Amino acid sequence: MQEVRLRSIHRARPRRLRRTAALRELVRETRLSKEQLIYPLFVRPGRGIRELIASMPGQFRLSLDQLPAEAEELLTLDVPAVLLFGLPEHKDERGSEAYAERGIVQEAVRLLKREAPELIVMTDVCLCAYTTHGHCGVVQDGQILNDQTLELLDEAAVSHAASGADVVAPSAMMDHQVQAIREALDEAGFPNTTIMSYAAKYASAFYGPFREAAESAPQFGDRASYQMDPANAREALREIELDVTEGADLVMVKPALAYLDVIAKARRRFEVPLAAYNVSGEYAMVKAAAERGWLDERRTVMEMLTAIRRAGADLLITYFAKDVARWLQEERRL
Ligand code: PBG
């Protein structure tokens, strides 16, 4: 009986492929590679500033003079891209430093493209870090106005492109922002500036540490009238479809870990490159647990990012980018 069963059904022994590290590597379905990493960077005015972000251990707010060294480190590690966030000198109702010619992000882009032209420079296009009320759009009577916001986002995107940004990444979740920005870029003579849209961006608690980092928390209410309801997956596909139709070159799902189903669905439905944003809260959770010795940081991060890739993301935006690049280099050497 035993023998029959083995011969007919249990010939398959999945463990055969797990016997040695070389075999496991041979049949691995999903790989992480440095080429897919995008590193978020926070820039602020001033000199000699390298300010530790309390809620994101290991991450800093940098002044411009710190950027060349940062860029060199990234290029040495083969991390190909940065995503810039700015903290302005002053905030106002309409977030005017978001689209100022000499704004902090605009200056950072110019400097990076001059000092490290090979580095892909992406910029977050939004108003929340630049407005006194901390919302991503123009506010009137407690409402976040959509179409009035588009003009300001257009200006921000064009100013980033004019500074030399390779990719602009609108994250305000205003309807039609991709179309508005595409038209504005084309009209301003930047038909080759790429748009990576934060297409499916959820109203998530996982952005908490970022809002401390960027000093961008809303001063009243929340972002639920423009960012997506975490309960909705079909709606994410609709959002992505609209953005692709409007001209997005790359699309993003954000956050990543709690939304792997959305990433998987988006991968199946759309052909454009798909990015996933492993956000600040996902970073902070791992850091906090690792500091206490409750998790092995390296193994946790590699597993997490591999899972995001396995779900279908092509590109990973992560605060762990430099660590991952280092770990991948070490694995090569083993
Ligand atoms: C700006 C923006 C946010 C993040 C990226 N772009 C914050 C927000 O929407 O409140 C979050 C990134 C992170 O948590 O790592 N709108």
Side-chain angles (χ1 to χ4, degrees):
M1 186 59 204
Q2 174 76 351
E3 205 183 314
V4 170
R5 197 165 55 99
L6 275 177
R7 216 183 307 124
S8 56
I9 312 164
H10 286 169
R11 280 265 161 94
R13 285 180 177 269
R15 288 187 55 188
R16 279 185 207 116
L17 292 172
R18 298 180 199 138
R19 203 167 46 80
T20 68
L23 278 169
R24 290 193 292 273
E25 174 127 19
L26 187 71
V27 299
R28 188 155 298 144
E29 298 175 31
T30 309
R31 293 175 207 278
L32 287 179
S33 66
K34 297 184 280 188
E35 292 77 13
Q36 306 152 333
L37 299 171
I38 301 169
Y39 183 59
L41 261 186
F42 299 93
V43 289
R44 75 171 328 162
R47 274 202 67 76
I49 296 176
R50 193 176 172 79
E51 203 173 34
L52 187 66
I53 299 166
S55 54
M56 300 174 70
Q59 303 303 312
F60 300 84
R61 300 184 195 93
L62 304 177
S63 53
L64 293 176
D65 53 286
Q66 308 289 307
L67 292 182
E70 189 72 28
E72 195 184 308
E73 187 187 4
L74 289 164
L75 289 174
T76 308
L77 289 167
D78 290 328
V79 174
V82 288
L83 176 59
L84 295 179
F85 295 95
L87 288 90
E89 191 90 62
H90 304 288
K91 299 177 191 258
D92 59 35
E93 276 287 296
R94 293 170 62 83
S96 49
E97 282 190 45
Y99 39 90
E101 202 198 320
R102 310 221 71 89
I104 183 66
V105 163
Q106 290 79 356
E107 296 286 20
V109 172
R110 277 190 284 266
L111 187 110
L112 285 170
K113 291 314 292 184
R114 191 171 66 233
E115 299 288 323
E118 325 87 276
L119 189 68
I120 300 169
V121 176
M122 308 182 162
T123 57
D124 186 80
V125 176
C126 198
L127 301 180
C128 56
Y130 302 86
T131 51
T132 38
H133 45 72
H135 277 288
C136 304
V138 174
V139 172
Q140 203 177 70
D141 305 325
Q143 303 290 312
I144 290 80
L145 303 181
N146 196 88
D147 296 9
Q148 288 82 340
T149 300
L150 296 182
E151 295 163 29
L152 305 186
L153 296 175
D154 289 354
E155 281 196 54
V158 169
S159 72
H160 295 173
S163 308
D166 300 291
V167 180
V168 294
S171 72
M173 286 300 278
M174 295 296 124
D175 292 338
H176 300 153
Q177 61 182 10
V178 172
Q179 181 175 348
I181 288 172
R182 183 70 273 158
E183 283 172 9
L185 289 171
D186 290 352
E187 272 169 36
F190 302 108
N192 296 323
T193 304
T194 302
I195 298 179
M196 173 169 75
S197 93
Y198 286 71
K201 178 176 178 181
Y202 286 89
S204 172
F206 288 98
Y207 307 151
F210 173 95
R211 291 182 187 169
E212 185 182 322
E215 297 167 2
S216 66
Q219 299 302 301
F220 69 88
D222 56 31
R223 304 207 201 290
S225 80
Y226 43 107
Q227 298 182 346
M228 285 182 55
D229 183 339
N232 296 354
R234 290 194 306 267
E235 189 187 0
L237 300 179
R238 226 171 97 66
E239 282 279 2
I240 296 171
E241 185 163 30
L242 281 168
D243 282 8
V244 170
T245 314
E246 291 180 28
D249 302 292
L250 301 131
V251 294
M252 189 202 301
V253 172
K254 175 187 175 193
L257 276 186
Y259 299 86
L260 295 181
D261 59 323
V262 177
I263 294 172
K265 287 193 171 85
R267 172 69 297 147
R268 253 178 272 131
R269 181 85 69 91
F270 303 100
E271 262 103 61
V272 291
L274 178 64
Y277 199 142
N278 177 225
V279 298
S280 59
E282 301 170 24
Y283 177 82
M285 287 195 301
V286 175
K287 282 292 191 186
E291 266 175 23
R292 286 164 180 71
W294 293 348
L295 279 177
D296 176 325
E297 180 173 340
R298 177 169 171 167
R299 289 190 54 208
T300 307
V301 170
M302 294 303 261
E303 181 175 333
M304 226 164 65
L305 296 179
T306 301
I308 299 169
R309 290 266 302 127
R310 191 193 65 230
D314 303 299
L315 307 172
L316 300 173
I317 305 169
T318 176
Y319 303 96
F320 290 113
K322 290 200 269 185
D323 306 293
V324 172
R326 257 182 236 114
W327 295 330
L328 289 172
Q329 236 157 28
E330 276 173 33
E331 280 175 19
R332 284 276 147 260
R333 266 188 250 117
L334 288 181

Coordinates of all heavy atoms in Angstrom, one line a residue, residues 15 21 44 49 95-96 103 121 124 129 131-133 137 156 190 198 203 218 226 229 238-239 259 263 304:
R15 N 10.8 19.2 -1.9 CA 12.1 19.5 -1.2 C 13.3 19.2 -2.0 O 14.4 19.7 -1.6 CB 12.1 18.6 0.1 CG 11.1 19.1 1.2 CD 11.2 18.4 2.5 NE 12.6 18.5 3.0 CZ 13.0 17.8 4.1 NH1 12.2 17.0 4.7 NH2 14.2 17.9 4.5
A21 N 21.6 25.6 -1.4 CA 21.4 27.0 -1.7 C 21.5 27.3 -3.2 O 20.7 28.1 -3.7 CB 22.5 27.8 -0.9
R44 N 15.9 70.4 2.7 CA 15.5 71.6 3.3 C 16.5 72.7 3.1 O 17.7 72.5 2.9 CB 15.1 71.4 4.7 CG 16.3 71.2 5.7 CD 15.8 71.2 7.1 NE 14.6 72.0 7.3 CZ 13.8 71.9 8.4 NH1 14.0 71.0 9.3 NH2 12.7 72.6 8.5
I49 N 23.2 71.0 7.1 CA 22.1 70.3 7.8 C 22.0 68.9 7.5 O 21.9 68.5 6.3 CB 20.8 71.0 7.6 CG1 20.8 72.5 8.2 CG2 19.6 70.3 8.3 CD1 19.6 73.3 7.9
G95 N 0.7 77.3 -1.0 CA 1.9 76.5 -1.1 C 2.8 77.0 -2.2 O 3.4 76.2 -3.0
S96 N 3.1 78.3 -2.2 CA 3.8 78.9 -3.3 C 5.2 78.4 -3.5 O 5.7 78.5 -4.6 CB 3.7 80.4 -3.3 OG 4.0 80.9 -2.0
G103 N 12.7 77.4 -5.5 CA 12.2 76.6 -4.3 C 13.3 75.5 -4.0 O 14.2 75.3 -4.8
V121 N 16.5 61.7 -11.3 CA 15.9 62.5 -10.3 C 14.4 62.6 -10.5 O 13.9 63.0 -11.6 CB 16.5 63.9 -10.3 CG1 15.8 64.8 -9.3 CG2 18.0 63.8 -10.0
D124 N 8.4 64.6 -6.1 CA 7.0 64.5 -5.6 C 6.3 65.8 -5.9 O 6.9 66.9 -5.6 CB 7.0 64.3 -4.1 CG 5.6 64.0 -3.5 OD1 5.2 62.9 -3.7 OD2 5.0 65.0 -3.0
A129 N 3.3 69.8 1.9 CA 4.4 70.2 2.7 C 4.6 71.7 2.6 O 5.4 72.3 3.4 CB 5.7 69.5 2.3
T131 N 1.8 74.1 2.3 CA 0.7 74.9 2.7 C 0.6 75.0 4.2 O 0.9 74.0 4.9 CB -0.6 74.2 2.1 OG1 -0.7 72.8 2.5 CG2 -0.7 74.4 0.6
T132 N 0.1 76.1 4.7 CA -0.1 76.3 6.1 C -1.1 75.3 6.7 O -1.0 74.8 7.8 CB -0.6 77.7 6.4 OG1 -1.5 78.1 5.4 CG2 0.6 78.7 6.5
H133 N -2.1 75.0 5.9 CA -3.2 74.0 6.3 C -2.8 72.6 6.2 O -3.5 71.7 6.7 CB -4.5 74.3 5.6 CG -4.4 74.5 4.1 ND1 -4.1 73.4 3.3 CD2 -4.4 75.6 3.4 CE1 -4.0 73.9 2.1 NE2 -4.2 75.2 2.1
G137 N -4.2 70.4 -1.5 CA -4.8 71.3 -2.5 C -5.2 72.6 -2.0 O -5.0 72.9 -0.8
A156 N 4.0 73.5 -10.4 CA 5.0 72.8 -9.7 C 5.7 71.8 -10.6 O 7.0 71.8 -10.7 CB 4.4 72.0 -8.5
F190 N 8.3 70.5 -22.4 CA 8.9 69.3 -21.8 C 8.2 68.0 -22.1 O 7.7 67.3 -21.2 CB 9.0 69.6 -20.3 CG 9.7 70.8 -19.9 CD1 9.0 71.9 -19.4 CD2 11.1 70.9 -20.0 CE1 9.7 73.1 -19.1 CE2 11.8 72.0 -19.7 CZ 11.1 73.1 -19.2
Y198 N 1.1 58.7 -8.6 CA 0.6 58.0 -7.4 C -0.8 57.8 -7.7 O -1.7 58.5 -7.3 CB 0.7 58.9 -6.2 CG 2.1 59.3 -5.6 CD1 3.0 60.1 -6.3 CD2 2.4 58.8 -4.4 CE1 4.2 60.4 -5.7 CE2 3.6 59.1 -3.7 CZ 4.5 59.9 -4.4 OH 5.7 60.3 -3.8
A203 N -5.7 56.7 1.7 CA -5.7 57.5 2.9 C -5.3 56.6 4.1 O -6.1 56.0 4.7 CB -7.1 58.0 3.2
P218 N -2.0 67.4 7.9 CA -3.1 68.3 7.7 C -3.5 69.0 9.1 O -3.5 68.3 10.1 CB -4.3 67.4 7.2 CG -3.9 66.0 7.5 CD -2.4 66.0 7.6
Y226 N -9.9 63.0 -0.7 CA -9.1 62.9 -1.9 C -8.3 61.6 -2.0 O -8.2 61.0 -3.1 CB -8.3 64.1 -2.2 CG -7.5 64.8 -1.1 CD1 -6.1 64.7 -1.1 CD2 -8.1 65.6 -0.2 CE1 -5.4 65.3 -0.1 CE2 -7.4 66.2 0.9 CZ -6.0 66.1 0.9 OH -5.3 66.7 1.9
D229 N -10.1 55.2 0.0 CA -10.6 54.4 1.1 C -9.8 53.0 1.1 O -9.9 52.3 0.1 CB -12.1 54.2 0.9 CG -12.7 53.4 2.1 OD1 -12.0 52.7 2.8 OD2 -13.9 53.5 2.2
R238 N -9.8 51.5 -11.2 CA -10.4 52.6 -11.9 C -9.4 53.9 -11.9 O -9.2 54.5 -12.9 CB -11.7 53.0 -11.2 CG -12.8 53.2 -12.1 CD -14.1 53.3 -11.3 NE -14.5 54.7 -11.1 CZ -14.8 55.6 -12.0 NH1 -14.9 55.2 -13.3 NH2 -15.1 56.8 -11.7
E239 N -8.9 54.1 -10.7 CA -7.9 55.2 -10.6 C -6.7 55.1 -11.6 O -6.3 56.0 -12.2 CB -7.4 55.3 -9.2 CG -8.4 56.0 -8.2 CD -8.4 57.5 -8.3 OE1 -7.6 58.1 -9.1 OE2 -9.1 58.2 -7.5
Y259 N -1.3 46.4 0.8 CA -2.1 46.5 -0.5 C -1.5 45.6 -1.6 O -1.6 45.9 -2.7 CB -2.1 48.0 -0.9 CG -2.8 48.8 0.1 CD1 -2.1 49.3 1.2 CD2 -4.1 49.0 0.0 CE1 -2.7 50.1 2.2 CE2 -4.8 49.8 1.0 CZ -4.1 50.3 2.1 OH -4.7 51.0 3.1
I263 N -1.7 45.5 -5.8 CA -0.5 45.5 -6.7 C -0.7 44.3 -7.6 O -0.5 44.4 -8.9 CB 0.8 45.3 -5.9 CG1 1.0 46.5 -5.0 CG2 2.0 45.0 -6.8 CD1 2.2 46.4 -4.0
M304 N 10.1 41.3 3.0 CA 9.0 42.3 2.7 C 9.1 42.8 1.2 O 8.1 42.8 0.5 CB 9.3 43.5 3.6 CG 8.1 44.0 4.3 SD 8.7 45.0 5.7 CE 9.4 46.4 4.9

